[in-house]
Amino acid sequence: MKLFRSLLVAFFIFAALVLSACEAADATPTPRPTRVTTVRALNTPEPTETSLPEPTPTLIIEPTEAPTYTPVPAGRAGAPLPAAPAGFVPPAGSDPLIPKIAAFPPKPVPVRPAGLNPLTGLTVADPKVLQKRPIVARIGNDQIVRTNAWHAGLNEADLVFEELIDMIGSQYAHTRYSAVFLTNTPPLIGPIRSGRIINFQVVPMLDAALAHAGASDGTRWLFSKVPTMINLDEYFNQPAYCYDKTHPYQGRLFTTGPRLREWLTQKGWEKSVPLYGFTFGDRPGGMQGANSLVINRAPWPSWSTVEWRYDAGSSGYLRSTTGAPHMATSKTVTAKWGNGSDCVTTPGTEIKQQVRATNVVVLWARHEKTQIIEDSNNAVSVYINLTGQGDAQIFRDGATIKGKWRRNSEQEFFEFVDNAGNIIPLKPGTTWFEIVPTGYVVDVK
């Protein structure tokens, strides 16, 4: 019996060795990328909170031919253009989603005191800090990011634009932020997420550099048609970013103000930009008291509802989302600034504060679906038309006034006027812009 058991054991050992050798000889190892990155491949759509985990990217060269998407041109809602034929690349500016870029600035810059920030109306101690190119950082607004207070840099931004992104049917997936930095260099900015065509409505106005974590095929192709835009796509500028690999994809990619400035200088892209700016001044007549504004009606996503409440102590507005204070974290990080480098937090530097703004401006604009596929749920990109004019509501000093926004091109600054055509000035300080669909109802109390 013992001899039988010994023979049986020897047989199984021999069989295992044979199978292992065959597998080693026949199997083809799966190739893996040699660098760690959160950027999707051009043909790998961005996942959403309801999607499967982010796939491992395949490094693919940017396509040289136009994608087969069908944008809805401005002024022709519901009347799509024919898809571009295979291999056909229309000249720059012929696509209705591509901004018309001319000389910058498009209008003569007003004479203003030295050291006055044209984005905030505040005077800086050293006018040299204004001799920079504005940076527009794409910052994600996924619920997991807010609940864990992973947002960084929002309180240091001069301006922040919040817009709806990506539609499945009539439902929007999320909102996302475009945070604008001119004088401040925050120790942490992020989490950085992918670009959208709404960026054409903000970046040309500032002649800015756009920091973003890649984009879909259609969006990236459109970006490539505007060669004057300084495009800090993470895929091609990885040393400008670092990664917190303890976070999921929604909150993994970050950068810092000093590193972006260093990178712009290194690439030869840093320069002084003549900015037309906004109009600032005392509180205008005709304003009515308003302590809060709430954005919580469909089609605004229920997981991204917004409340701004006036805080007399700080003479500004405090932001809450889905009923809880919206907190941002400031902390100093270091990194090796190579491909896939880790963000290393400096101990004892973490500070959490509620997101705040001096002015809140609601902009009503036409939202139109395109056929640019943006994620693995087949959500499509949204074209938001912010040229011409539309309704606006300005909140400052615990009061509000309705009026209009207007501008002739994507390169011009927004101007705000009341019903009589008089300029509505902003209060010197930071401004948040909430972009909502035409006809949307904002609750004001």
Side-chain angles (χ1 to χ4, degrees):
M1 188 68 179
K2 291 182 178 179
L3 179 59
F4 175 77
R5 283 200 299 267
S6 298
L7 291 172
L8 187 62
V9 170
F11 172 78
F12 281 118
I13 292 174
F14 175 78
L17 290 172
V18 171
L19 289 173
S20 176
C22 293
E23 181 179 350
D26 296 338
T28 301
T30 301
R32 299 182 181 277
T34 57
R35 55 180 171 177
V36 179
T37 173
T38 59
V39 176
R40 330 184 274 296
L42 294 178
N43 294 312
T44 305
E46 178 183 48
T48 65
E49 288 190 336
T50 58
S51 305
L52 295 174
E54 185 178 34
T56 301
T58 303
L59 304 182
I60 297 177
I61 302 300
E62 185 176 9
T64 57
E65 62 182 41
T68 54
Y69 68 93
T70 309
V72 177
R76 292 179 56 201
L81 291 176
F88 171 72
V89 180
S94 67
D95 190 295
L97 300 184
I98 298 175
K100 308 300 185 290
I101 302 298
F104 190 90
K107 299 197 308 185
V109 173
V111 177
R112 57 175 66 97
L116 188 70
N117 185 340
L119 304 184
T120 65
L122 300 173
T123 301
V124 297
D126 182 4
K128 291 181 180 179
V129 301
L130 296 172
Q131 308 305 309
K132 302 175 182 178
R133 181 187 294 278
I135 295 170
V136 177
R138 292 292 289 163
I139 297 179
N141 188 34
D142 298 83
Q143 194 167 11
I144 190 174
V145 174
R146 294 195 309 271
T147 55
N148 287 282
W150 291 339
H151 277 133
L154 292 177
N155 278 334
E156 290 82 11
D158 297 286
L159 313 169
V160 180
F161 295 81
E162 180 175 20
E163 83 278 352
L164 294 160
I165 64 167
D166 305 351
M167 294 188 74
I168 299 179
S170 60
Q171 178 64 60
Y172 289 92
H174 290 291
T175 71
R176 192 161 287 178
Y177 310 132
S178 293
V180 180
F181 301 92
L182 178 59
T183 58
N184 293 332
T185 52
L188 191 65
I189 301 172
I192 303 298
R193 296 301 302 275
S194 55
R196 291 294 187 275
I197 54 177
I198 179 64
N199 301 138
F200 282 145
Q201 301 294 328
V202 176
V203 175
M205 177 181 81
L206 304 160
D207 195 11
L210 176 64
H212 63 105
S216 66
D217 275 15
T219 301
R220 213 177 216 157
W221 180 83
L222 288 167
F223 286 174
S224 75
K225 299 296 104 180
V226 186
T228 57
M229 185 174 77
I230 303 301
N231 186 351
L232 300 183
D233 185 332
E234 180 232 359
Y235 186 85
F236 303 103
N237 300 270
Q238 283 199 5
Y241 302 90
C242 63
Y243 305 82
D244 188 330
K245 296 166 188 170
T246 66
H247 295 176
Y249 72 89
Q250 299 98 325
R252 185 181 301 157
L253 182 65
F254 289 86
T255 186
T256 74
R259 179 53 184 162
L260 286 179
R261 291 294 172 197
E262 182 181 46
W263 185 251
L264 288 173
T265 299
Q266 180 179 334
K267 302 291 283 187
W269 295 333
E270 183 70 284
K271 73 168 192 174
S272 176
V273 175
L275 297 171
Y276 187 87
F278 295 105
T279 299
F280 298 91
D282 295 333
R283 172 176 165 173
M287 299 195 77
Q288 298 180 339
N291 290 321
S292 70
L293 66 145
V294 177
I295 303 175
N296 62 358
R297 299 173 184 268
W300 200 272
S302 60
W303 47 88
S304 300
T305 57
V306 178
E307 179 182 13
W308 288 97
R309 183 168 294 276
Y310 183 67
D311 175 51
S314 63
S315 300
Y317 294 84
L318 298 177
R319 179 181 167 91
S320 295
T321 56
T322 61
H326 184 178
M327 307 299 292
T329 300
S330 174
K331 58 184 179 182
T332 302
V333 302
T334 58
K336 293 182 178 179
W337 303 117
N339 293 338
S341 62
D342 292 312
C343 305
V344 180
T345 301
T346 304
T349 61
E350 186 171 302
I351 300 174
K352 287 186 172 65
Q353 289 183 323
Q354 190 169 359
V355 175
R356 61 194 64 219
T358 307
N359 308 284
V360 179
V361 178
V362 181
L363 303 176
W364 279 265
R366 188 175 71 252
H367 289 53
E368 299 175 353
K369 295 173 68 173
T370 71
Q371 291 186 12
I372 301 175
I373 304 299
E374 291 288 358
D375 68 17
S376 54
N377 289 327
N378 289 322
V380 298
S381 195
V382 181
Y383 169 67
I384 303 175
N385 182 18
L386 286 172
T387 59
Q389 73 170 22
D391 292 329
Q393 190 163 1
I394 291 85
F395 295 81
R396 53 167 291 178
D397 301 307
T400 186
I401 185 171
K402 292 182 179 180
K404 299 285 185 183
W405 62 263
R406 64 189 186 190
R407 64 174 183 164
N408 293 322
S409 74
E410 294 93 343
Q411 290 183 282
E412 291 189 18
F413 269 71
F414 295 96
E415 189 175 61
F416 308 107
V417 296
D418 61 21
N419 293 329
N422 302 310
I423 296 293
I424 302 174
L426 300 176
K427 182 176 181 177
T430 58
T431 302
W432 270 70
F433 295 90
E434 301 287 356
I435 305 172
V436 301
T438 302
Y440 188 84
V441 177
V442 176
D443 292 329
V444 179
K445 298 180 181 179

